[in-house]
């Protein structure tokens, strides 16, 4: 049964040490839940970027909330590199699981299907493979001599993302952003923030039903208008590039990063 | 008509490298490759040929995928994408690329964003064009510090894809797969081979028919300044604007 809760309650259900799947900046980032998540004090998070990360990841890293980072890239896009990520890497403050986008998607697909791994082309001869001992070169059982990489299933505890709409039963409309469904299928549960909660079921109309993530996968929903800001949301509103550029500037030093964060969380309780 | 700018020449060169391609994908934040693909499509259409299909990641209008981020990689792994662009903080003479960082991993300094989709796309897309405007020994190194994706693989690895060309603001190389090295085929107007050697950290061969990189044809230039610039404005508004001022 999906519960409709406040943003603070939704964030409070993410415990320290959770393995948390978060979407790329174009797919529906639950930015509005990021501030209460940081304020809640949950630590030691294992973040799985699906398949890359941006502002949300950089904020969590800068606030000292991330222990393990599994990602194909972290970037602020046109605003440049992600300052807190770069700082943490240089200081050795993160357990890095460097990946490539299709490997993360393959690992989630394995979890979705309830199988232990997914084979994937590429990777052989790269240092990515060298620094990821959990990825194994194996032989295609149907074609002796054909080497292929096995990516183990990625099973996050919680997928956290933002979408346009949910209904009171907990169904969420994700349209063609199918990576959100992939994250949700692979994770034990999903917490979703939405622009709107509507009374009529999203499953009543075949047109909306085709883009629905059913409530089966959704543990909690919180109402958060403009909830992806400063990121945009597909079909709803554009990215606030000026705000992301402002963050990029302020995050260059730890002191001004703290000032930026404090404006949203009302607390300086991180270090 | 005013002469071509450096960026307009790069766009026209990209379009030439895409000759005969049916489906090209372009990553996010790659305005010159995107413009080159759009020019290819415009030229094909004008000549009455089947226009190239373009998938620009991060664009709503030039991206027809409906299956999320997986669809690009699934398409590529099946051979449905003929060409793609990759860059790199470092590119070496064997075609290995580094998008992770300089120095000893994991405490890279500087650290770059990460490998993105290169770990698969470099291996399965037949015509990967390496594009980096900066041409310096800092970028074009003898050996990368970290291999995000390898330029070549042993025969035991099924590998339909790999590097096809390397284009910078200074030079154009093709990649010799058998010998695993770059071959200089063109130099930007006003520069020479010695300068390319000075500014390249790896050794390379020189093509027998080496010459200046051609200027865009009047037809191509007109298309860049009208149709392509208009199409670019949706995904890269700032870039489209600055292109007009050149």
């Amino acid at each position: 049964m999906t519960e409709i809760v406040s943003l603070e309650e939704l964030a409070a259900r993410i415990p320290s040490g959770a393995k948390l799947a978060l979407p790329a900046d174009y797919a529906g980032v639950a930015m509005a839940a990021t501030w209460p998540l940081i304020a809640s004090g949950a630590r030691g998070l294992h973040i799985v970027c699906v398949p890359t990360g941006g502002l949300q990841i950089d904020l969590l890293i800068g606030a000292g909330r991330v222990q393990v980072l599994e990602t194909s890239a972290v970037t602020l896009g046109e605003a440049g590199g992600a300052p807190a990520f770069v700082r943490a890497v240089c200081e050795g403050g993160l357990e890095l699981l460097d990946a490539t986008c299709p490997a993360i998607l393959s690992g989630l697909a394995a979890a979705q299907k309830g199988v232990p791994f997914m084979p994937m082309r590429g990777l052989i001869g790269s240092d990515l493979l060298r620094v990821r001992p959990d990825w194994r070169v194996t032989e295609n059982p149907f074609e002796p001599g054909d080497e292929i990489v096995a990516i183990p299933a990625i099973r996050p505890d919680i997928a956290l993302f933002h979408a346009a709409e949910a209904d009171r039963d907990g169904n969420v409309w994700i349209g063609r952003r199918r990576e959100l469904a992939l994250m949700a299928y692979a994770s034990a549960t999903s917490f979703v923030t939405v622009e709107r909660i509507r009374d009529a079921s999203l499953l009543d109309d075949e047109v909306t039903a085709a883009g629905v993530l059913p409530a089966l996968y959704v543990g909690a929903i919180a109402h958060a208008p403009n909830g992806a800001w400063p990121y945009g949301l597909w079909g709803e509103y554009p990215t606030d590039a000026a705000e992301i550029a402002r963050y990029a500037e302020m995050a260059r030093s730890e002191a001004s990063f703290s000032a930026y964060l404090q404006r949203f969380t009302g607390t300086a309780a991180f270090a | 008509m005013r002469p071509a700018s450096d960026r307009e020449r790069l766009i026209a060169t990209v379009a030439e490298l895409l000759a005969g391609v049916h489906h090209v994908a372009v990553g996010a934040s790659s305005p010159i490759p995107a413009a080159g693909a759009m020019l290819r499509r415009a030229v094909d259409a004008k000549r009455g040929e089947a226009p190239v299909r373009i998938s620009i990641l991060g664009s709503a209008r030039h991206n027809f995928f409906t299956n999320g981020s997986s669809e690009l990689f699934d398409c590529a792994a099946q051979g449905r994408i003929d060409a793609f662009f990759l860059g790199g903080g470092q590119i070496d003479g064997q075609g290995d690329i580094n998008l992770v960082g300089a120095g000893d991993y994991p405490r890279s300094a500087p650290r770059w964003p990460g490998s993105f989709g290169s770990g698969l796309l470099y291996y399965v897309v037949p015509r990967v064009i390496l594009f980096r405007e900066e041409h310096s020994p800092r970028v074009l190194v003898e050996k990368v510090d970290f291999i995000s994706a390898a330029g070549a693989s042993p025969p035991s690895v099924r590998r339909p894809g790999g590097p096809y060309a390397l284009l910078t603001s200074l030079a154009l190389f093709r990649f010799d797969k058998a010998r695993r090295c770059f071959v200089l085929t063109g130099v930007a107007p006003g520069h020479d081979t010695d300068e390319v050697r000075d500014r390249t950290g790896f050794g390379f061969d020189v093509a027998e028919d080496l010459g200046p990189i051609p200027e865009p044809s009047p037809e191509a230039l007109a298309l860049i300044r009208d149709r392509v610039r208009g199409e670019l404005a949706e995904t890269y508004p700032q870039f489209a604007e600055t292109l007009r001022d050149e």
Side-chain angles (χ1 to χ4, degrees):
Chain A
M1 181 78 187
T2 310
E3 288 182 77
I4 298 176
V5 299
S6 70
L7 268 178
E8 288 68 27
E9 170 62 22
L10 182 132
R13 293 182 184 199
I14 299 171
S16 286
K19 189 167 179 175
L20 193 59
L22 301 171
D25 52 18
Y26 50 78
V29 181
M31 284 304 303
T34 309
W35 321 114
L37 173 59
I38 290 171
S40 82
R43 286 172 185 278
L45 298 173
H46 175 145
I47 301 295
V48 180
C49 297
V50 184
T52 59
L55 174 63
Q56 184 181 42
I57 310 302
D58 209 53
L59 284 164
L60 289 168
I61 292 171
R65 300 305 191 242
V66 182
Q67 182 175 343
V68 183
L69 181 67
E70 192 165 357
T71 191
S72 305
V74 184
T75 167
L76 299 179
E78 287 184 282
F85 162 70
V86 168
R87 212 156 37 232
V89 167
C90 289
E91 291 165 2
L94 277 176
E95 288 175 39
L96 269 182
L97 295 172
D98 255 289
T100 182
C101 304
I104 288 181
L105 298 167
S106 293
L108 294 170
Q112 173 190 347
K113 291 175 193 307
V115 296
F117 65 88
M118 188 66 63
M120 190 191 119
R121 291 290 178 198
L123 287 172
I124 295 173
S126 72
D127 284 327
L128 280 179
L129 192 57
R130 183 177 57 81
V131 302
R132 290 298 301 265
D134 53 328
W135 295 352
R136 305 280 167 77
V137 178
T138 180
E139 188 181 62
N140 174 355
F142 303 99
E143 200 177 311
D146 176 24
E147 289 187 328
I148 192 162
V149 177
I151 306 291
I154 301 172
R155 299 186 192 84
D157 298 313
I158 301 161
L160 173 66
F161 58 87
H162 185 71
E165 209 162 59
D167 65 23
R168 302 225 167 259
D169 301 324
N171 300 304
V172 177
W173 191 78
I174 58 166
R176 60 169 161 159
R177 292 268 54 122
R178 302 298 306 172
E179 58 271 72
L180 299 177
L182 176 64
M183 286 166 65
Y185 299 150
S187 302
T189 190
S190 295
F191 296 168
V192 186
T193 58
V194 292
E195 293 291 315
R196 296 175 295 278
I197 298 175
R198 62 184 233 169
D199 292 327
S201 171
L202 285 160
L203 293 173
D204 282 350
D205 180 341
E206 282 302 320
V207 175
T208 50
V212 164
L213 174 72
L216 164 66
Y217 303 97
V218 183
I221 285 170
H223 183 213
N226 212 28
W229 181 88
Y231 280 119
L233 183 62
W234 31 270
E236 298 277 331
Y237 46 88
T239 292
D240 183 349
E243 179 62 22
I244 293 175
R246 204 174 73 84
Y247 169 77
E249 184 61 33
M250 289 193 71
R252 285 163 64 178
S253 87
E254 283 183 45
S256 56
F257 172 88
S258 297
Y260 185 91
L261 197 55
Q262 206 171 342
R263 206 174 56 128
F264 293 100
T265 60
T267 169
F270 52 85
Chain B
M1 192 181 280
R2 71 177 188 276
S5 69
D6 291 348
R7 289 200 294 181
E8 286 172 331
R9 194 177 344 93
L10 287 169
I11 291 167
T13 306
V14 167
E16 286 303 315
L17 291 169
L18 293 175
V21 161
H22 299 294
H23 183 184
V24 53
V26 182
S29 314
S30 309
I32 289 175
M38 287 167 173
L39 176 59
R40 178 79 259 158
R41 180 168 63 184
V43 169
D44 289 348
K46 215 175 165 195
R47 292 177 185 169
E49 291 162 20
V52 61
R53 187 186 288 275
I54 306 176
S55 299
I56 299 179
L57 309 179
S59 159
R61 195 176 307 160
H62 301 284
N63 181 344
F64 49 82
F65 291 137
T66 56
N67 197 26
S69 336
S70 303
E71 192 166 0
L72 166 72
F73 304 108
D74 294 349
C75 269
Q78 289 180 300
R80 292 181 195 269
I81 293 176
D82 309 304
F84 189 71
F85 300 88
L86 285 169
Q90 294 175 335
I91 298 168
D92 73 22
Q94 294 80 52
D96 294 340
I97 58 173
N98 176 4
L99 290 81
V100 162
D104 289 334
Y105 186 88
R107 293 176 71 166
S108 318
R111 166 75 201 207
W112 301 313
S115 301
F116 290 98
S118 64
L120 176 70
L121 296 176
Y122 207 33
Y123 294 77
V124 297
V125 176
R127 206 181 284 194
V128 176
I129 296 164
L130 299 172
F131 176 69
R132 179 81 204 241
E133 278 189 271
E134 178 179 340
H135 192 128
S136 71
R138 188 181 76 117
V139 172
L140 305 177
V141 298
E142 191 174 345
K143 188 84 196 78
V144 294
D145 293 342
F146 185 97
I147 303 173
S148 286
S153 303
S156 58
V157 177
R158 187 172 165 272
R159 176 164 193 172
Y164 173 77
L166 165 61
L167 175 64
T168 71
S169 58
L170 180 63
L172 174 65
F173 303 84
R174 68 178 166 81
F175 189 72
D176 185 328
K177 237 179 186 173
R179 299 179 47 241
R180 207 177 168 174
C181 71
F182 288 102
V183 182
L184 182 67
T185 62
V187 179
H191 302 273
D192 60 27
T193 309
D194 286 344
E195 187 183 350
V196 177
R197 277 196 208 290
D198 284 348
R199 287 167 59 184
T200 307
F202 56 74
F204 54 83
D205 287 354
V206 176
E208 282 178 17
D209 59 349
L210 170 75
I213 295 172
E215 294 290 344
S217 67
E219 177 201 27
L221 214 44
L223 286 167
I224 291 171
R225 289 173 182 177
D226 181 29
R227 175 172 162 171
V228 169
R229 207 173 60 78
E231 290 177 350
L232 273 176
E234 183 254 352
T235 318
Y236 301 109
Q238 285 179 316
F239 181 81
E241 198 55 39
T242 60
L243 202 56
R244 182 170 58 185
D245 301 333
E246 284 179 3

